[in-house]
Amino acid sequence: MTRSVRRHPALSGLCLAMLAALASPSLPAADLPITSGQRSTAQQVASQGVALSELAPNAPDSYTIKRGDTLWAISKLYLLRPWRWPELWGMNIDQIRNPHLIYPGQILVLDKSGGRARLRMGTPVGDPGIVKLQPRVRSDSLDDGALTAVPAHLIAPFLNQAMVFDTDQLAAAPRIVAAQEGRVMLSKGEKAYVRGDVSSARAWNVFREAKPLLDPGTGEVLGYEARFVGSADLLKIGEVRKDADGADELVPSTFSITNIREEAGVGDRLAPAMSPESDAYMPRAPGKDMRGQVLALYGDALNGGTNQIVTLNRGKRDNLERGHVLSIWRAGQKVVDRTDPDKPMLRLPDERTGLVFVFRVFDRVSYALVLQAQDVVKAGDLVLPP
């Protein structure tokens, strides 16, 4: 049976949030995170929206969400400045608790009333005051099919594998001391023998020697980046036993290599596997006082571009959060004015070269995905509010 519900304007935001929740297999509202910045944005713009001048020239009146869409892609479809997505969405507190309550098949409707623009969930035709509720079958993947902020496959390997430690703690972490049948390198399914205290967990990640991350401006050690090698499960904890002569004999712990990015070997270190960060987040701008630099490109690359991962020299202590969008700037070069007889030295203006999206944050550093790059991204480039 189909029911019709007429919305009262003052309750439309709340009703839409409830309808979205009913239609979406999401977590209970109490379990969903909300940052102070998100709450502030929601309170300020829930009824205001954005100026029509902020809309992209060809912003559609309605758009049906497709599988594979992302919050960032939809933001670019509607806005000149995509990081202002929360304002266009005009979310109230209930909605902003989980921006991932957006699923394939749902319809976004652009409301341009009162000289302001807002996105609503609804139907593009028929009586705008009527919302139809009826049973339907949803077929979703195990990740529940909700939209992600950016293409998930680009950052998924980094959400629980890329690791920055505050100190060089891996130097004292459990280590692989031998491989199965005397092998030098280990592949998936093979056994590794580990020395050290491994009683705290069953699932472990394997890392290569950690390298210090130095702030390009101050030289401060911001953390130690460990190169992810693979994963291993604890099969049996080691022990000390007596040999035939009654002397103590150390038997290392036994691990099985369960996942491998590159072959593991003797000397590699282990750290307990962390639960992946799965809380909701959305593209948004940070505070205006944010200023940092690209610390390095992840891996061995010297120059980066769109869809590559970069390390930034800012983190939680600098109020950087997952979902923050930053602009990349190249410092202007020094050149000689050869048109002047005195040949003075000039500093060319700084040039904006792209955008990055922060998706994993540690205390003093963070990882970001390059969303746009008009020029190569290099270590030392500035990052500023967009």
Side-chain angles (χ1 to χ4, degrees), residues 4-7 109 121-132:
S4 296
V5 179
R6 183 167 299 275
R7 292 182 303 223
V109 179
M121 202 84 75
T123 56
V125 295
D127 183 353
I130 301 295
V131 174
K132 302 287 187 180

Side-chain angles (χ1 to χ4, degrees), residues 254-334:
T254 303
F255 279 77
S256 173
I257 303 296
T258 57
N259 177 46
I260 209 76
R261 175 172 289 179
E262 57 183 281
E263 287 185 315
V266 173
D268 285 343
R269 303 285 176 162
L270 277 69
M274 306 292 290
S275 299
E277 297 175 326
S278 58
D279 55 299
Y281 56 95
M282 69 174 66
R284 62 193 189 280
K288 294 182 179 180
D289 59 346
M290 178 64 62
R291 182 183 180 90
Q293 287 179 278
V294 174
L295 185 60
L297 277 71
Y298 192 83
D300 300 322
L302 297 177
N303 298 320
T306 302
N307 293 340
Q308 286 190 268
I309 306 298
V310 296
T311 309
L312 308 180
N313 68 336
R314 293 292 181 265
K316 294 178 182 177
R317 72 172 183 178
D318 308 292
N319 298 317
L320 199 61
E321 299 175 359
R322 298 176 68 215
H324 277 166
V325 176
L326 300 167
S327 57
I328 312 172
W329 289 78
R330 178 71 40 75
Q333 295 181 334
K334 287 185 177 181

Side-chain angles (χ1 to χ4, degrees), residues 188-207:
K188 183 176 179 180
E190 295 183 334
K191 289 184 172 62
Y193 302 104
V194 174
R195 187 175 177 184
D197 183 4
V198 295
S199 60
S200 61
R202 180 179 180 275
W204 295 73
N205 285 338
V206 184
F207 294 97

